[in-house]
Amino acid sequence: MAEADPARSPGAAVPAPGPGTTRRTALLAALALLALTACWGSTFFLIKDLLERVPTVDFLAVRFLVAGAAMLLVAPRAIARLSPETRRRALALGALYGAAQVLQTAGLAHTPASVSGFITGLYVVATPVLAALLLRSRVTRGTWAAVALATVGLALLSLDGLSVGYGEALTLVAALLYAAHIVGLGAWSRPADALGMSVLQVLVIAGICLVAALGTGKPGVVLPSGGADWASVLYMAIAAGALAMLAQTWAQAHLPPTRSAIIMSMEPVFAAFFAVLLGGESLTSRMLLGGALVLVAMLVVEALPRRHVEGEVPHIAV
């Protein structure tokens, strides 16, 4: 995920994101977000297996370093084409996402995976709240209904008891940072800048994860061993890392943050689907009901009148 930055100076509002966005482009953007959440969901059982041999922060560092190197190889001048202001925004977005990754990982060490998944998914609630507070955007009652449905669906998919402690607090901060990243992309992303912003964000995330991995006291970063592990890392770096960041950055140039967050709340639904299909887990009634509620939430927000959605978030200046 997911899935930001703070606002700019008040009163600097200009037209809403993607002022020339057509209905067809908005639909393509929504489908791009849905595809990347499916890709993210497909990695859960791969990560679970890989982390038995590679420490989590080391895995994140290797994953994003590979993703960043691949993006630089394909588009070596993408960052240079960005304006200084856009580079600053991309640096801030990458820092938010990278910090969220590290905090989520640290929280997971003290929190059951199911609880961590649910708390992380609360970015779907935090996104409209942050958009309203930071950008003074208007969130409609229909959108709040979709947020509530998605939250209940996430609880059914993820929760089996809930405790509150140090790990949960770290994970909640991570969820807020993911929400801020989604809000920031919605306010600052432009289609023409999507590639360069994506490359710079991934490089910043890689740097933060590398520092976190080296800060654990080990002499170096633990690398995957064996062809199967490297194949998993390459898939998660290229498909679920580089391409997913590019898709999210481009899509959010055409969609408001709250709509994007609700679409991306489909990630645990896809995670459950792939866990049953490929990971050997059993299908339960809770999975079916939770997944159905998240799906309904996505359909509700897609059915809302576009005049509300298109005017939801102003562009703001740093």
Side-chain angles (χ1 to χ4, degrees), residues 49-212:
D49 176 64
L50 187 63
L51 293 185
E52 294 179 2
R53 295 173 294 282
V54 182
T56 305
V57 182
D58 297 62
F59 155 71
L60 290 174
V62 173
R63 174 185 175 180
F64 285 106
L65 283 169
V66 171
M71 296 179 89
L72 282 176
L73 186 64
V74 173
R77 299 185 179 180
I79 295 176
R81 288 193 288 266
L82 297 176
S83 68
E85 182 183 38
T86 303
R87 285 193 206 112
R88 287 196 298 272
R89 295 173 181 176
L91 286 169
L93 291 168
L96 284 167
Y97 196 99
Q101 288 275 303
V102 173
L103 287 174
Q104 183 185 5
T105 300
L108 189 56
H110 305 278
T111 310
S114 60
V115 175
S116 175
F118 171 69
I119 296 176
T120 301
L122 289 180
Y123 68 74
V124 75
V125 179
T127 297
V129 174
L130 289 179
L133 290 176
L134 299 178
L135 308 180
R136 297 196 296 271
S137 64
R138 178 172 174 264
V139 182
T140 66
R141 282 180 292 182
T143 301
W144 280 119
V147 167
L149 279 174
T151 304
V152 173
L154 288 169
L156 288 171
L157 275 168
S158 306
L159 283 186
D160 185 16
L162 177 62
S163 60
V164 178
Y166 175 71
E168 288 77 13
L170 289 179
T171 309
L172 181 59
V173 175
L176 293 174
L177 292 178
Y178 284 131
H181 182 262
I182 293 170
V183 171
L185 273 182
W188 289 344
S189 180
R190 301 291 188 279
D193 296 328
L195 180 57
M197 289 187 73
S198 300
V199 176
L200 190 48
Q201 285 181 85
V202 168
L203 291 176
V204 172
I205 296 165
I208 290 173
C209 293
L210 180 60
V211 169

Side-chain angles (χ1 to χ4, degrees), residues 124 127-128 131 139 143 147 182 256-263 301 312-313:
V124 75
T127 297
V139 182
T143 301
V147 167
I182 293 170
T258 300
R259 184 178 171 194
S260 299
I262 292 172
I263 294 171
V301 79
E312 187 179 352
V313 180

Side-chain angles (χ1 to χ4, degrees), residues 23 26 255-256 259 300-311:
R23 191 172 187 84
L255 298 174
R259 184 178 171 194
V300 166
V301 79
E302 285 302 302
L304 291 174
R306 289 283 77 83
R307 64 179 178 272
H308 293 312
V309 173
E310 289 170 359

